[in-house]
Amino acid sequence: MLDSDVRLEWFVSFLAVIETGSFVAAAESTRRSQPRVSQHVAALEKLIGQPLFDRKKRPVQLTDAGRALAVQARHVLRALEEAESAMAPWRGGTRGIVSLGSYPSASAAFVPGLLKGLAATDPDIKVVISEHATLELDDRLVSGGVDLYLRPMAPRPASASVASLPLWREPLVVLHAEGHPLAELPDPVPLAAVADHPVVSIGRLGEPETAEYEAHQLFQEHGLTLDPVQATNQPQTLVSLVAEDIGVGVTNGLAAWTSDTTGVRVRPLDGPHERRVAVCWDSTRPLTPAARSILRTIVESDTPAGTTRITPNGHEQPDRVLVPRIIA
């Protein structure tokens, strides 16, 4: 029977005979001598106690035992290749591919500057952008589809394995069409006045998680009910719905500032209403050197215009940022 004495080179020679149809051709393809290939196959046959090839036929043909072993030998070598691929990012310093998840407004306001800086400081790292709605990003992280992702801190991630570092805070704003009744009110616009009109919000209509987004929480905190007439995760879609007077928009500042707001007014809301944004990763999976380098760069990068940086201890810090030990 097979045991730990089996050598990988035996499997390589065995499979080479199968692929080439002869021991001589297998020796040429593996750059070994023909007697060496024969010794490897003979060693396997000795351990198994069965012949692997019918050597009387040309080209040589597998026996039933040989066919069964071939399947497992390919599995073993494929697993070795996968292990090699998994270890590759840890070699040669900060090299490799990092999948960075992001949501629309962060993609527009923050990611381009991040990539420009990385091209200069870490040219050997390739960043693959994966854009999704907030809750979809959570799923992508759990499934291994992204290594890191930018995410609003509300709603909270469903998985307890998600670790995060706060990056910035930005105000919530109200949007309304030109000529809308809210235009008669001075800045900042009272939330109670907004609640008197149909509202377009972030999220998806009918999904319970939508009630955990900032706009819904804001209304709830003030004893108001938000029953949106429409909801979307795309900033430009929200602005366009507002421009058509479908409703009044309540969203984060970056969503409005990165959109074409022709025909729409973007107004401050009365009160310290805000969105907080973080960079997240899965605490149960080790970050590759490349991913750790990207994480450090994200934390050290300038935050988007109109936002305020949050330090790891939660306080505002307009200039220097303290880098946590996790990425030191």
Side-chain angles (χ1 to χ4, degrees), residues 133 135-136 202-213 216 228 231 233:
L135 299 179
E136 292 170 351
I202 302 171
R204 292 195 181 99
L205 287 181
E207 292 194 357
E209 294 85 356
T210 297
E212 299 178 27
Y213 281 87
H216 290 260
N233 287 302

CSV table of all heavy atoms in Angstrom, one decimal, residues 133 135-136 202-213 216 228 231 233:
chain,number,residue,atom,x,y,z
A,133,ALA,N,-22.4,47.1,-4.0
A,133,ALA,CA,-23.1,47.7,-2.9
A,133,ALA,C,-22.6,47.3,-1.6
A,133,ALA,O,-21.9,46.2,-1.5
A,133,ALA,CB,-24.6,47.4,-3.0
A,135,LEU,N,-23.6,45.8,1.3
A,135,LEU,CA,-23.9,44.5,1.8
A,135,LEU,C,-23.3,43.4,0.9
A,135,LEU,O,-22.9,42.3,1.4
A,135,LEU,CB,-25.4,44.3,2.0
A,135,LEU,CG,-26.0,45.2,3.0
A,135,LEU,CD1,-27.5,44.9,3.1
A,135,LEU,CD2,-25.4,45.1,4.4
A,136,GLU,N,-23.2,43.7,-0.4
A,136,GLU,CA,-22.6,42.7,-1.3
A,136,GLU,C,-21.1,42.6,-1.1
A,136,GLU,O,-20.5,41.6,-1.3
A,136,GLU,CB,-22.9,43.2,-2.8
A,136,GLU,CG,-24.4,43.0,-3.1
A,136,GLU,CD,-24.7,43.7,-4.5
A,136,GLU,OE1,-23.8,44.4,-5.0
A,136,GLU,OE2,-25.8,43.5,-5.0
A,202,ILE,N,-30.8,55.7,0.1
A,202,ILE,CA,-29.8,54.6,-0.2
A,202,ILE,C,-30.3,53.3,0.2
A,202,ILE,O,-31.1,53.1,1.1
A,202,ILE,CB,-28.5,54.9,0.5
A,202,ILE,CG1,-27.9,56.3,0.2
A,202,ILE,CG2,-27.4,53.9,0.2
A,202,ILE,CD1,-26.7,56.7,1.0
A,203,GLY,N,-30.0,52.2,-0.6
A,203,GLY,CA,-30.4,50.9,-0.3
A,203,GLY,C,-31.3,50.3,-1.3
A,203,GLY,O,-31.3,50.7,-2.5
A,204,ARG,N,-32.1,49.3,-1.0
A,204,ARG,CA,-33.1,48.7,-1.9
A,204,ARG,C,-34.4,48.7,-1.2
A,204,ARG,O,-34.5,48.3,0.0
A,204,ARG,CB,-32.7,47.3,-2.3
A,204,ARG,CG,-31.4,47.2,-3.1
A,204,ARG,CD,-31.3,45.9,-3.7
A,204,ARG,NE,-30.1,45.7,-4.6
A,204,ARG,CZ,-29.0,45.2,-4.1
A,204,ARG,NH1,-28.9,44.7,-2.9
A,204,ARG,NH2,-27.9,45.1,-4.9
A,205,LEU,N,-35.5,49.0,-1.9
A,205,LEU,CA,-36.8,49.0,-1.3
A,205,LEU,C,-37.2,47.5,-0.9
A,205,LEU,O,-36.9,46.6,-1.6
A,205,LEU,CB,-37.8,49.5,-2.4
A,205,LEU,CG,-37.9,51.0,-2.6
A,205,LEU,CD1,-39.0,51.3,-3.7
A,205,LEU,CD2,-38.1,51.8,-1.4
A,206,GLY,N,-37.8,47.4,0.2
A,206,GLY,CA,-38.3,46.1,0.6
A,206,GLY,C,-37.3,45.2,1.3
A,206,GLY,O,-37.7,44.2,1.9
A,207,GLU,N,-36.0,45.6,1.4
A,207,GLU,CA,-35.1,44.8,2.1
A,207,GLU,C,-34.9,45.3,3.5
A,207,GLU,O,-34.7,46.5,3.7
A,207,GLU,CB,-33.7,44.8,1.4
A,207,GLU,CG,-33.8,44.1,0.0
A,207,GLU,CD,-32.4,43.8,-0.5
A,207,GLU,OE1,-31.4,44.3,0.1
A,207,GLU,OE2,-32.3,43.2,-1.6
A,208,PRO,N,-34.9,44.4,4.5
A,208,PRO,CA,-34.9,44.9,5.9
A,208,PRO,C,-33.6,45.6,6.2
A,208,PRO,O,-33.5,46.5,7.1
A,208,PRO,CB,-35.0,43.6,6.7
A,208,PRO,CG,-34.7,42.5,5.7
A,208,PRO,CD,-35.1,43.0,4.4
A,209,GLU,N,-32.5,45.2,5.6
A,209,GLU,CA,-31.2,45.8,5.8
A,209,GLU,C,-31.2,47.3,5.5
A,209,GLU,O,-30.4,48.1,6.1
A,209,GLU,CB,-30.0,45.1,5.1
A,209,GLU,CG,-29.8,43.7,5.5
A,209,GLU,CD,-30.7,42.7,4.8
A,209,GLU,OE1,-31.6,43.2,4.0
A,209,GLU,OE2,-30.6,41.5,5.0
A,210,THR,N,-32.0,47.7,4.6
A,210,THR,CA,-32.1,49.1,4.2
A,210,THR,C,-32.4,50.0,5.4
A,210,THR,O,-31.9,51.2,5.4
A,210,THR,CB,-33.1,49.3,3.1
A,210,THR,OG1,-32.7,48.6,1.9
A,210,THR,CG2,-33.2,50.8,2.7
A,211,ALA,N,-33.1,49.5,6.3
A,211,ALA,CA,-33.5,50.3,7.5
A,211,ALA,C,-32.3,50.6,8.4
A,211,ALA,O,-32.4,51.4,9.3
A,211,ALA,CB,-34.6,49.6,8.3
A,212,GLU,N,-31.1,49.9,8.1
A,212,GLU,CA,-30.0,50.2,9.0
A,212,GLU,C,-29.0,51.2,8.4
A,212,GLU,O,-28.0,51.5,9.0
A,212,GLU,CB,-29.2,48.8,9.1
A,212,GLU,CG,-30.0,47.8,9.8
A,212,GLU,CD,-29.3,46.4,9.9
A,212,GLU,OE1,-28.0,46.5,9.9
A,212,GLU,OE2,-29.9,45.4,9.9
A,213,TYR,N,-29.4,51.7,7.2
A,213,TYR,CA,-28.5,52.7,6.6
A,213,TYR,C,-28.7,54.1,7.3
A,213,TYR,O,-29.6,54.3,8.0
A,213,TYR,CB,-28.9,52.9,5.1
A,213,TYR,CG,-28.3,51.9,4.2
A,213,TYR,CD1,-28.9,50.6,4.0
A,213,TYR,CD2,-27.0,52.1,3.6
A,213,TYR,CE1,-28.4,49.7,3.1
A,213,TYR,CE2,-26.5,51.1,2.7
A,213,TYR,CZ,-27.2,49.9,2.5
A,213,TYR,OH,-26.6,48.9,1.7
A,216,HIS,N,-32.0,56.2,7.3
A,216,HIS,CA,-33.1,55.6,8.1
A,216,HIS,C,-32.8,55.8,9.6
A,216,HIS,O,-33.7,56.1,10.4
A,216,HIS,CB,-33.3,54.2,7.8
A,216,HIS,CG,-33.8,53.9,6.4
A,216,HIS,ND1,-35.1,53.6,6.2
A,216,HIS,CD2,-33.2,54.0,5.2
A,216,HIS,CE1,-35.3,53.4,4.9
A,216,HIS,NE2,-34.2,53.6,4.3
A,228,PRO,N,-39.3,55.4,2.2
A,228,PRO,CA,-38.8,55.9,0.9
A,228,PRO,C,-39.7,55.6,-0.3
A,228,PRO,O,-40.2,54.5,-0.3
A,228,PRO,CB,-37.4,55.4,0.7
A,228,PRO,CG,-37.4,54.1,1.6
A,228,PRO,CD,-38.3,54.4,2.7
A,231,ALA,N,-35.4,53.7,-3.7
A,231,ALA,CA,-34.1,53.6,-3.1
A,231,ALA,C,-33.1,53.0,-4.1
A,231,ALA,O,-33.5,52.3,-5.0
A,231,ALA,CB,-34.1,52.6,-1.9
A,233,ASN,N,-28.6,52.2,-4.8
A,233,ASN,CA,-27.2,52.2,-4.3
A,233,ASN,C,-26.3,53.0,-5.2
A,233,ASN,O,-25.0,53.0,-4.9
A,233,ASN,CB,-26.7,50.7,-4.1
A,233,ASN,CG,-27.3,50.0,-2.9
A,233,ASN,OD1,-27.2,50.5,-1.8
A,233,ASN,ND2,-27.9,48.9,-3.2
